[in-house]
Amino acid sequence: MNVFVTGGAGYIGSICVEELINAGHTVTVLDNLSEGHHSAVDSRARFIQGNLGEREFINAALAETKPEAIIHFAANALVGESMENPAKYFRNNVACGLELLDAAVKSGVRKFVFSSTCATYGPPDKVPMTEDLPQRPINPYGESKLMFEKMLQWYQKIFGLEFVAFRYFNAAGASKKFGEHHRIETHLIPNVLKVPLGQATECQIFGTDYPTPDGTCVRDYIHIVDLAQAHILAMQPGKHGFYNLGNGEGYSVREVIKMCERISGKKIPAIEKPRRPGDPPRLVASAERAFKELGWKPQFPKLEDIVSTAWEWHKAHPNGYPD
């Protein structure tokens, strides 16, 4: 298929582009490089630099490239920042997304795959989380993603734009070529790996008195290549709706640190700090629906696989991407 990927210079987008091209698809990447990196774009893809919010530009880009499917990764995704600057999140994640939706309809795009988030649920009523749980986001980031999900539903009803939206927690790991390099790094695994890389003297644990086996928060991690494969499967005709993605188990902060020690072969000191407000003890998603309806089967469900690939990439790229 001819696929248009927004945010294709970012962490998740870059590896999805790589997997799409490996699977035989033709890919155009759109990214404004505010968060992404030009050198993270697969050299086999066409790259367009620009902003989704510019209506004439996005209309022209889709009219020229004539994609059959759009995979939409372009979003701001820092929960804390969204509480300080909600306008940025509603402007980029909702208003700019609306321009993309209108351009998609105008250019005759048949399929729209949206990278959403489990933050749309807020504190879950049960764990593992299923797609039928009530959605009660507790920050503008989650709210902005939920608003776009609702827009997709209306665009399918009114214009027949078939969509799939994925909700997940922590993307992690790397492919051989591409990995995780955020200008502001909030994710646990790359921050823990900074210690064996010699870029930090210690890592931090926020809260050690949670009702979990070792007292630290349990979170769901999904290998970035498995995540990319789910987005590719979603392009199949007739597949539509909402799907959670995850490994179904979850790992504690201490388990992640221990695994990073084992894989790197180096001791990683951890400083224990008080809980952060709003951190639930356990967040794990059920991917049963994706297994059954999309035929998705993670290749790298184990924490060892996730950390190993991340460590190999960070060792090879200790300073991340050059641009």
Side-chain angles (χ1 to χ4, degrees):
M1 291 177 71
N2 182 8
V3 189
F4 193 89
V5 180
T6 68
Y11 171 43
I12 302 172
S14 64
I15 292 169
C16 188
V17 169
E18 179 186 21
E19 291 293 309
L20 280 164
I21 296 172
N22 288 346
H25 301 287
T26 301
V27 179
T28 300
V29 169
L30 175 76
D31 202 296
N32 64 8
L33 300 182
S34 63
E35 299 293 340
H37 306 271
H38 191 274
S39 53
V41 179
D42 195 299
S43 60
R44 299 169 293 173
R46 179 184 178 186
F47 176 64
I48 301 173
Q49 185 173 348
N51 295 306
L52 284 178
E54 297 172 11
R55 181 174 301 174
E56 290 183 8
F57 166 77
I58 191 63
N59 279 332
L62 291 186
E64 182 193 351
T65 55
K66 297 181 174 59
E68 298 159 87
I70 290 175
I71 303 182
H72 181 35
F73 292 108
N76 293 117
L78 297 176
V79 170
E81 183 187 50
S82 79
M83 295 293 284
E84 297 167 1
N85 187 3
K88 177 179 179 179
Y89 282 72
F90 292 121
R91 186 174 294 114
N92 189 45
N93 297 2
V94 182
C96 291
L98 179 59
E99 298 293 352
L100 179 64
L101 273 180
D102 280 341
V105 170
K106 190 173 182 180
S107 65
V109 171
R110 300 202 305 265
K111 190 61 168 270
F112 197 105
V113 182
F114 176 47
S115 189
S116 190
T117 172
C118 279
T120 62
Y121 294 113
D125 288 347
K126 67 174 183 178
V127 175
M129 299 160 65
T130 51
E131 291 85 352
D132 56 357
L133 288 178
Q135 292 179 286
R136 299 175 297 230
I138 57 172
N139 51 65
Y141 166 61
E143 189 72 56
S144 69
K145 290 280 195 170
L146 179 57
M147 290 169 78
F148 194 81
E149 285 188 5
K150 290 179 177 178
M151 287 156 57
L152 282 171
Q153 290 177 293
W154 284 110
Y155 271 60
Q156 179 164 329
K157 285 179 184 176
I158 296 167
F159 301 112
L161 179 62
E162 188 175 83
F163 78 89
V164 169
F166 288 116
R167 301 168 184 152
Y168 53 92
F169 286 112
N170 300 299
S175 70
K176 286 186 175 146
K177 283 187 183 178
F178 304 112
E180 189 165 13
H181 175 195
H182 297 110
R183 290 178 175 87
I184 300 174
E185 189 55 78
T186 61
H187 292 173
L188 179 62
I189 291 173
N191 277 328
V192 172
L193 290 176
K194 284 180 181 179
V195 180
L197 285 169
Q199 297 168 357
T201 55
E202 68 218 6
C203 63
Q204 298 176 329
I205 299 175
F206 294 96
T208 57
D209 59 348
Y210 286 97
T212 58
D214 64 18
T216 63
C217 287
V218 172
R219 294 291 181 266
D220 212 347
Y221 296 89
I222 177 170
H223 196 284
I224 193 75
V225 171
D226 289 329
L227 190 58
Q229 287 298 325
H231 284 74
I232 295 170
L233 287 168
M235 296 195 306
Q236 299 172 81
K239 304 298 182 184
H240 63 90
F242 301 97
Y243 295 91
N244 292 344
L245 298 175
N247 63 33
E249 293 181 21
Y251 301 99
S252 74
V253 174
R254 288 199 196 279
E255 284 179 302
V256 170
I257 294 170
K258 285 177 184 173
M259 184 60 71
C260 289
E261 286 184 324
R262 185 161 80 76
I263 297 300
S264 69
K266 298 182 182 180
K267 181 68 178 169
I268 301 175
I271 304 299
E272 297 180 2
K273 295 198 165 186
R275 293 185 185 192
R276 291 180 298 198
D279 266 352
R282 189 166 177 255
L283 290 175
V284 178
S286 167
E288 286 301 316
R289 180 178 290 179
F291 297 157
K292 291 176 184 174
E293 296 182 15
L294 298 180
W296 182 62
K297 186 178 180 183
Q299 296 174 271
F300 309 102
K302 295 179 181 178
L303 183 60
E304 181 178 6
D305 298 326
I306 292 169
V307 173
S308 294
T309 56
W311 176 239
E312 289 304 313
W313 190 84
H314 284 295
K315 277 197 301 180
H317 308 83
N319 298 311
Y321 294 107
D323 54 3

